[in-house]
Amino acid sequence: MCSNPSSKSGIISVPASLRDSLSCLDIVWSDMFETEDINPEEARKHEADFLKGAPLQWLTLVEKENSPLVKRDGFSDLKQLIERKRRKQCLVTDVSLRYQPGSGGSTLAMQVLWDFRKDLRCARVIDSNLDTKELSKQVVDLFLLSSEERAKQDRKTVLLLLDTKEKINDLPIKNVLWENLIDEIRKRGINTNTPVVIVLNCIPTDFTRTDTMILSSGCSEEEIKTFKEQLFQQIRLQRKGHWEVTIISLLYHKDSSGSALAGEVLSDLSETFICETWTEPFKTDNTENKEIFGKKIEKMVNELHALYETHQNTVLLLLDHKDTKPQPNFLRNLLSKLQRPDQADHPAFIVINAVSKNAVPAKDDVKLKMELLPDEKNSFAQKRLEIDQKKLSQTFHAFNIMWGGFQKEDVEKLITEEMITYVKNHKESSNTRLLSFLALINSYVPGSHLSKLFCQEFMDQTDEENPTLETKMKPFMDLIVIFSEGEQEDQCVRLAHPMIADACLKMFTESKLMRSDIALDFLNSLVKGKESDLGKICKKMLVVRLEILMEKDKFSRLILDIIRENNDNHCIRLLEVASELFSEDPFYPQTLARLFYIVVKKDNKYEEARKWAKKAIERDPNNSHIRDTLGQVHKNHLLNETKKPFIDRKACLSIAQSAIKAFKDEEKAAEDESGDDTKFNNRGLFGFLQVCKIIHPKMPFEHSEQEYINGLKGDVETKYDFFEWFLAFSRQSFEKEDPDYIRRDVEECYMHHFETDKITLGEKKMYSGELLRILKSDIDVLKQYKGKIENPQTDNEIQTVLYILANIICSESGEQFQKIQEYQSCLHKLWLREMQERRPEFYLLVLLLFWPDDMQPRIRNPPNLEKCLRKMRHSYKTKYQKYLHSRYLVPLFFFAKGKGLQKLVHTSKLRQTDLELLAEGDGNVEIKDLQRISGQVRKHQVFAIRGDKEIRVASHNRASVCKQGQVSFYLGFNIRGPVAYNIRYTDSSGAYYMKAVNEKIRKK
């Protein structure tokens, strides 16, 4: 019998037809194993395999057949978070479990699912060839216990475990699945008071590099003690890492003891680290002071670097200030000083970025690290005693590594002298080579495995007697686990733990078997002929770049490690072989091109880079990101040429022309490929401007050459304008800004070609009619130039819009201006002209000035706001949607509690804390200066209601629109239109339906 929790009480049987249709889900039935006769030997074998290092099986969690497994510290926290989220009014919500590979993250997630199986409908995503739309359909079927439209339904929240590292169109699968789930729920017309789905999202995370810790106010002494121990844990963890600079972001409530606690930690660790504190703020909004501030940063970095060089010990640096992130220039300068040729066994700097905040976000995730807290150590010690009492003969390496606190020294002791001797004497044997392959993939792609069948075939090529894999691998079998995954017939082979893989790799390199040799052998001996089966592992090892503090690493971890071994030629050979094996994949030749122009020192490096970049384009000519590499090769070649003592101007111009052509080709490809499911690639436009920043009219070119450069002005201005609105209206995500260098390079390029400075550039921005620049300007800067646009011509739409908007923003500083009806009158005259192809900015201003307000004087025949919204959405779709799709549209204004112009508050006037609450909070949020707007939800659409007027608005969080009813929300405006933030339901669904029925009766 396969049963799920019922919406009433008890459990309900799931029909076989529905069970068979849920092929994307591994469902944890409420009565799983309860009616089966379990073979005790099989149960004990599963438990032993798990303790050794095999993935957890559901059978191992049946406590009547097995002793309870240790639950790591995050178990209770994860359960509490899920309990909190299941009470939330929304369609979809999520809980994140961030874990270091090898720390037990997947195990913890399965333990939690098992614990909830009688209370929620629990399922794990089977991620083979994942189709998120089909998966969404099946998840909603499980929620309803029905796949038929009019069939009887039994609704219960689904707890969905998503533990996959794949991406779709460079977006995390959870983001894509989230949107697909909401679309499916809306399609089915589901209204609900509780979530349809809680996504338990498992995210592999490298905590040795960065982490964020949050300390709220009102913590008890015990809670503060626990938090302090967690901070020590994080410092210990980062101390084990090999990154040059690591960051701990410590966000603490202003009424908490965060600053004092951080100081205590430094004091306690003063004998272990070189401890330093810096309290000056990083942020400066004064443009004139940026150069001075930059020099201060450089001086500080030089002093810190000298400190590290003197002591050759990690510097624990406390930044105690009010900025949420260390200034990028500080980190960039620090990293540039630390170009250590070899990978050190400790970081040079651990930076604790302690930030005082008026409000801190509620804890929304659980973290599992390769460090044990005191209570966990006790639990593992008790389990160890239990294992010893059973006198089990196997060596449970995975368990022992955790029990010992993930100590590198303990793991390296598992590599016996016999193994080391065997490897040295049998380097060419198939078992040594297979062990090296497993060590390589399990170290660089944790959690990966090889098919037992492939391993056996590899062995059979070199051994005529065809012994079993277990027999052949006997010298190393103690380190290996063989297991079955799901319903696959073939078994899987991997090393027992990622730390064992690291220790094995160390053994091989000390035996003069280098990473590049192992990887090359792996490609030639095992991957060849099995490219479709092993392609993902190869790409993750050789191509995929990890995110670092501010941007991506330059290459994959494996390639970077081989480069550190001063083996550029080995990298080249390795990527050439991979490029031949995966002969249609453009990313291998692209990586080769990048390797040549970034790393290689040969004279012909740029020629080789061009060759491989062109080969990548041949394989995927329509991919703009692939085309970008050729432009980057030319651009870097150009930079290199201009740094020489004697510059060959003709050669430079020729290279610049090639770069410009490459970037224009990329721009065209980006225009052609962009659609509703892809991000627009703007690197072609930016690359063009970077090249034009290098080659500009101030350089001493001959007349004919100067004509070519002067001819670039038109394109420079067009692309400059693109980035003006692109950066004003959007950002990568709410959490992630675009890098500072984009705006800097764009502006410097413009100033070079139009021979202007910062002051006249500011005037240009005002005269240009670009409304958006005012939206981003400091108010003092705006006042400086506002006089330039006073008294606009009444028939000049650009001047009028610019003039009105400038006054709206300046009114927030307390200055007295004309009454709102005078601005309305100016705008109304323009509205009546019914011009075509207006920009969204015009319609935005109409909405801001004519939004229904009981307090404002009424103008005769005001603009129809529904019509205005339709036109605005159409204008946005035609002018901006292609470029801003998949980016976060920043709110420009919010509806405040004032009157007239004071009813509008520009985003720049809100505190960062308020913006965070608006973007990430829920219906319980209260923002002091903003006004809640009354509204209504019908058929998953939100309407703002004012008297007899109703206007449809977008919802900032689609998942929060979960049922029909009366609502209130904060009203914001972005370049696409009005947006409802922090939606709060103000009456019950029943009351809403009664109102609707009575309204229909009254109308009859």
Side-chain angles (χ1 to χ4, degrees), residues 785-829:
Y785 297 117
K786 192 172 68 68
K788 305 280 185 181
I789 52 170
E790 294 285 4
N791 304 315
Q793 298 175 27
T794 54
D795 61 342
N796 187 314
E797 183 168 306
I798 289 176
Q799 285 187 15
T800 301
V801 168
L802 194 62
Y803 165 70
I804 294 173
L805 194 78
N807 282 288
I808 290 175
I809 297 174
C810 286
S811 71
E812 296 180 29
S813 63
E815 292 194 21
Q816 295 297 315
F817 293 100
Q818 293 169 277
K819 293 181 179 179
I820 190 170
Q821 57 264 38
E822 294 179 32
Y823 299 128
Q824 287 176 329
S825 177
C826 291
L827 203 56
H828 190 241
K829 290 174 184 175

Side-chain angles (χ1 to χ4, degrees), residues 637-656 694-696 698-702 705 709:
H637 189 188
L638 177 62
L639 272 170
N640 187 63
E641 289 296 316
T642 56
K643 289 176 182 176
K644 290 180 177 179
F646 302 102
I647 299 173
D648 184 338
R649 292 195 301 273
K650 285 193 175 180
C652 284
L653 189 62
S654 175
I655 297 167
I694 303 167
I695 297 290
H696 53 79
K698 293 180 182 178
M699 296 182 72
F701 285 107
E702 294 179 3
E705 296 163 344
I709 292 170

Side-chain angles (χ1 to χ4, degrees), residues 867-883:
K867 181 180 179 181
C868 177
L869 264 176
R870 286 195 300 273
K871 286 179 173 289
M872 184 176 187
R873 287 170 183 145
H874 175 74
S875 178
Y876 172 84
K877 186 175 182 179
T878 56
K879 294 186 183 302
Y880 295 143
Q881 182 167 294
K882 176 196 287 191
Y883 308 105

Side-chain angles (χ1 to χ4, degrees), residues 117 220 237 325 371 377 506 546 623 771 863 902 956:
R117 73 191 185 283
S220 66
L237 189 66
K325 58 185 182 298
E371 270 280 336
K377 290 177 183 177
K506 182 180 178 184
L546 299 179
N623 187 324
L771 159 91
Q902 300 299 317
H956 179 259

Side-chain angles (χ1 to χ4, degrees), residues 835-887:
M835 287 176 60
Q836 299 298 315
E837 304 301 321
R838 276 173 162 151
R839 297 167 68 107
E841 294 90 320
F842 173 80
Y843 300 110
L844 171 67
L845 196 53
V846 172
L847 289 174
L848 292 176
L849 288 187
F850 289 96
W851 193 268
D853 183 352
D854 293 338
M855 302 301 296
Q856 73 182 44
R858 295 185 178 275
I859 196 166
R860 183 178 296 178
N861 298 320
N864 182 313
L865 295 192
E866 274 296 326
K867 181 180 179 181
C868 177
L869 264 176
R870 286 195 300 273
K871 286 179 173 289
M872 184 176 187
R873 287 170 183 145
H874 175 74
S875 178
Y876 172 84
K877 186 175 182 179
T878 56
K879 294 186 183 302
Y880 295 143
Q881 182 167 294
K882 176 196 287 191
Y883 308 105
L884 301 182
H885 174 75
S886 294
R887 284 175 62 87

